[in-house]
Amino acid sequence: MNEVDDNALATAAMTALRERGPLSLEEWAQCVSEFGSPSDIAEVLEYLDDPMIGYLPGGKYVALDEMLEGLVFTHRLSEIEIASEVLEATPDLEPVLRFASSIDGEVRVVEAEFEQDLLRERGIDAAFSRRVVALPRGTLANFAAGDLIAIAIEDGELTVWQADVEDEPDLAPALEKIFAENGVEALEAVGWQLAVDDSSLFTVPSTPLGEMFAAAGYEHQRELLARNGFDFAAYAVQIQTAEIALTYDLTHDEAVAVVAFVDLAQRGYVDAEIENLDLRDWARRHVGVVPDSFAALADAGAAVAAFDLGFRNQDPTADMILEALGGELAERGPKAVKPAAHWLAGKAADRLGRVLDAEAHYEKALEWEADWGPALFELAQFAADRSDATRALSLLGRIDGGSEETLYEVLQEFIPVEHPELGRNDKCWCGSGRKYKVCHLGKVDESVREDGRWLYKKACMFAFSSEFADMVVQFDDLVAAGSDDDDRSIFDGPALDIALFEGGIFAQFITRRGNLLTEHEVATARQWLDVERSVFEVTEMNALLDRRTGDTVTVNGAADLEPGDLVCARVLPAGSSAQVVGSVIVSSELQAANVLQVLGRDHHDVAELIRVLS
């Protein structure tokens, strides 16, 4: 279907749901069958994005704006709610939280995670729940603790008033019907189903939902409702395990091991914050006695999932815990898990600044399993950082799908250039006067080292590490939002370069990879740390005038720039030459002035910089 058909289908589908709902997916698809076969339409409707679509516990869909119009839900006020005029949403108000206004001063449903400034302004340090209802100042001036506030839907908007209880329904029979097959349900969906099953409910102010649930023998935790005694913690683990298995394509046992490993690490983190632990002794007490508990981490995907979920963000304490757990598993775990254990310990050692210890762990992983993919990839990265493209490519070649890795593509530029026309004892092609076998046979052209091209690409590959991925993707998404080039690469434009320098990744690259780089590369890299982005005017081929300093620089690799062009870029010197990186064509003098204004600030905002560049 094209875009017009999609919009027409969405409109027709919502109209049908309002007029005929609640509907099962099949019934709903049949209502709009003029757009295609019911099976094809059902696939589209299942992912239709409209905030007014509600999914009921019975498996049907309902149009919330139609179903909830005119209904009233109540909430009993606390002193802190009156003072802040921010209402706890769970459980009483869950059914109406899809209705939110962005107009200042009106009743608003607030996602607490993204409205911390508003909550602090209202005197709330921590939100009651994930979503809260923010009222205009003065709304609760005449209320006292224990009073009832009513919230109703009128013409699709939330309205509030002071109320008295006019109805005290017994929800036990209705809830028994809803929970006949399932042990737990979403609070909002239970409220919707109650309203659908009994049209007389919630037509006048009644006892708050939470109080009625409690009276019927039900309890809630966060946005979930279940019978009293339900094990919410076990259910959360069950859901988490299923989601991990689906996301990382793991078996149930592998996902269970991932959850257990991450949970153990988190408990260790809490313990380490409270007391000064001997982490290796702590790991021995928790892992050494039951090492088979984590045997399923032997699968490479499971090990990667454990690292990604528990240790993706850099934190020295977490990394020390990971190293202790990995080391203990490597020493006492079953044979099959030792490659994963060494890899996990190696990842921790690397992030703690001990790259050679990390390398030793990865080599030990391969001693236990010669083609264990994650360890091969890390060693390929290290070989590339040492400028040994041949070994890096060889290691990648041992990984299933290794030739599809970005590193493999990058290394093609730096593989040794063969000269089959020369014999081993012939003079080298480079003019050094030495024999080919001692000069360039099997070696990369030194010019790619001298001009800094390889060094910069090494830093780019380092930026693709999992701990930096969120930042790089965030910056690239900001660039993409202002670009209509669907074929652009992550290496194109400013996102990756800004992540490296303004984002601080390049400084970590020097610290963590310095032992693998040559002294010349380390010196060049440290020099680059002081190089700021600027706006340049191309005065002649490969000559750029810096609009900030007035200096002219000669660069390599600017063949795509023409005299008169304005470009925002970073110009990195290397020896007698320089390279242009992270460049963006500046379209006008006005844009150039705006970019220079942002760059001139002591602490310029990255998002604002990308915005003016776009």
Side-chain angles (χ1 to χ4, degrees):
M1 285 184 241
N2 56 39
E3 184 176 349
V4 174
D5 289 335
D6 284 346
N7 291 335
L9 170 60
T11 300
M14 290 307 299
T15 298
L17 197 59
R18 291 184 178 102
E19 293 176 350
R20 308 181 195 181
L23 298 169
S24 68
L25 188 60
E26 293 73 18
E27 292 169 340
W28 195 12
Q30 193 63 50
C31 291
V32 286
S33 58
E34 68 269 22
F35 289 90
S37 70
S39 59
D40 290 340
I41 295 298
E43 290 185 12
V44 177
L45 294 180
E46 192 172 6
Y47 297 101
L48 190 61
D49 184 18
D50 189 304
M52 289 300 104
I53 297 174
Y55 187 69
L56 301 176
K60 292 191 174 185
Y61 295 83
V62 65
L64 297 178
D65 49 358
E66 179 71 21
M67 186 266 290
L68 292 175
E69 179 68 25
L71 298 190
V72 183
F73 295 86
T74 63
H75 176 69
R76 202 172 302 281
L77 294 168
S78 67
E79 290 185 1
I80 189 172
E81 288 174 314
I82 294 171
S84 64
E85 296 187 292
V86 174
L87 307 182
E88 166 67 87
T90 304
D92 299 336
L93 306 178
E94 283 287 339
V96 299
L97 294 185
R98 295 286 185 91
F99 294 83
S101 172
S102 60
I103 303 174
D104 290 340
E106 293 186 357
V107 179
R108 287 195 294 155
V109 176
V110 172
E111 295 284 345
E113 179 183 358
F114 305 110
E115 294 282 358
Q116 292 297 310
D117 290 342
L118 169 65
L119 297 179
R120 280 192 290 268
E121 179 187 324
R122 296 291 187 97
I124 300 174
D125 293 328
F128 312 109
S129 59
R130 184 169 62 89
R131 291 178 293 185
V132 296
V133 178
L135 303 175
R137 282 297 197 182
T139 302
L140 302 181
N142 298 320
F143 285 78
D147 284 351
L148 217 60
I149 186 170
I151 293 189
I153 308 298
E154 295 182 0
D155 297 325
E157 296 287 339
L158 297 179
T159 60
V160 302
W161 71 90
Q162 192 167 7
D164 293 317
V165 172
E166 299 180 28
D167 187 22
E168 299 183 48
D170 177 9
L171 296 184
L175 291 172
E176 180 65 30
K177 178 181 175 183
I178 293 173
F179 283 84
E181 296 183 1
N182 298 316
V184 63
E185 295 286 358
L187 272 168
E188 61 177 6
V190 171
W192 301 335
Q193 189 70 60
L194 289 168
V196 166
D197 291 342
D198 184 350
S199 60
S200 67
L201 279 177
F202 314 124
T203 54
V204 295
S206 57
T207 307
L209 268 178
E211 296 176 18
M212 289 192 285
F213 288 151
Y218 289 77
E219 60 181 322
H220 76 275
Q221 189 171 104
R222 296 182 65 84
E223 290 83 31
L224 296 175
L225 183 70
R227 292 182 179 87
N228 288 343
F230 182 80
D231 192 338
F232 285 99
Y235 178 75
V237 171
Q238 179 184 347
I239 295 299
Q240 181 187 20
T241 302
E243 289 177 347
I244 290 172
L246 180 63
T247 302
Y248 292 92
D249 193 22
L250 305 178
T251 67
H252 175 73
D253 287 347
E254 290 164 354
V256 168
V258 169
V259 171
F261 189 82
V262 172
D263 179 66
L264 176 59
Q266 290 173 343
R267 283 187 281 132
Y269 191 93
V270 173
D271 292 344
E273 292 289 295
I274 297 174
E275 55 182 307
N276 186 22
L277 290 178
D278 179 335
L279 289 175
R280 193 58 189 266
D281 177 67
W282 171 85
R284 186 173 296 112
R285 285 187 282 112
H286 286 82
V287 175
V289 293
V290 285
D292 290 346
S293 299
F294 303 104
L297 292 179
D299 176 78
V304 170
F307 177 80
D308 194 40
L309 293 168
F311 309 93
R312 181 170 182 170
N313 297 321
Q314 281 186 287
D315 183 285
T317 300
D319 289 331
M320 288 188 288
I321 289 170
L322 177 61
E323 187 174 31
L325 290 173
E328 190 63 28
L329 272 179
E331 181 176 337
R332 302 177 187 275
K335 178 180 177 181
V337 83
K338 290 182 184 294
H342 278 295
W343 178 76
L344 290 167
K347 292 291 287 185
D350 180 14
R351 301 205 313 182
L352 289 167
R354 305 194 324 270
V355 67
L356 298 182
D357 288 345
E359 187 174 39
H361 274 296
Y362 300 147
E363 295 285 6
K364 288 178 181 177
L366 297 187
E367 290 177 10
W368 288 103
E369 185 175 332
D371 290 330
W372 206 75
L376 286 169
F377 183 79
E378 301 294 344
L379 289 172
Q381 289 265 39
F382 290 174
D385 289 337
R386 285 194 170 97
S387 300
D388 191 346
T390 300
R391 181 166 191 260
L393 288 168
S394 175
L395 289 164
L396 288 174
R398 290 163 56 184
I399 303 173
D400 185 22
S403 61
E404 299 174 7
E405 295 285 349
T406 302
L407 178 60
Y408 189 93
E409 180 181 350
V410 167
L411 287 170
Q412 301 308 304
E413 185 179 353
F414 305 112
I415 57 177
V417 178
E418 300 298 334
H419 288 266
E421 76 280 5
L422 295 177
R424 292 170 55 82
N425 293 314
D426 290 340
K427 288 186 177 180
C428 189
W429 57 268
C430 70
S432 66
R434 293 180 293 174
K435 292 181 180 181
Y436 179 43
K437 67 181 180 182
V438 297
C439 190
H440 268 100
L441 178 61
K443 299 177 183 178
V444 71
D445 181 356
E446 288 297 319
S447 65
V448 300
R449 299 192 203 202
E450 294 170 0
D451 65 14
R453 276 180 291 161
W454 199 347
L455 176 61
Y456 187 76
K457 282 294 178 67
K458 292 174 185 179
C460 289
M461 296 312 302
F462 178 77
F464 291 161
S465 301
S466 60
E467 59 261 42
F468 307 123
D470 290 343
M471 180 197 302
V472 174
V473 170
Q474 177 190 4
F475 290 177
D476 193 51
D477 285 346
L478 289 172
V479 171
S483 171
D484 56 4
D485 183 5
D486 295 333
D487 297 325
R488 53 181 292 278
S489 162
I490 185 67
F491 291 106
D492 299 328
L496 187 53
D497 182 77
I498 290 175
L500 281 170
F501 288 91
E502 280 80 0
I505 298 175
F506 193 79
Q508 292 201 52
F509 168 70
I510 299 172
T511 300
R512 286 173 48 184
R513 293 292 180 267
N515 285 335
L516 305 182
L517 305 174
T518 66
E519 290 184 8
H520 173 71
E521 285 178 320
V522 172
T524 299
R526 295 193 184 284
Q527 182 183 5
W528 287 358
L529 283 175
D530 297 326
V531 177
E532 297 181 344
R533 176 173 286 274
S534 189
V535 173
F536 298 88
E537 178 184 350
V538 183
T539 55
E540 55 184 287
M541 192 61 67
N542 295 334
L544 306 180
L545 172 65
D546 188 336
R547 284 287 187 89
R548 294 179 72 182
T549 66
D551 297 333
T552 298
V553 293
T554 301
V555 299
N556 292 328
D560 55 338
L561 299 176
E562 298 180 356
D565 283 347
L566 290 175
V567 60
C568 179
R570 198 181 312 274
V571 176
L572 300 177
S576 60
S577 62
Q579 61 172 317
V580 178
V581 296
S583 62
V584 179
I585 295 294
V586 178
S587 61
S588 66
E589 289 290 347
L590 176 60
Q591 185 186 14
N594 290 335
V595 172
L596 287 171
Q597 182 180 35
V598 173
L599 292 174
R601 297 172 186 158
D602 291 337
H603 301 287
H604 53 261
D605 180 76
V606 168
E608 184 181 10
L609 173 59
I610 294 176
R611 181 183 60 79
V612 297
L613 288 176
S614 301

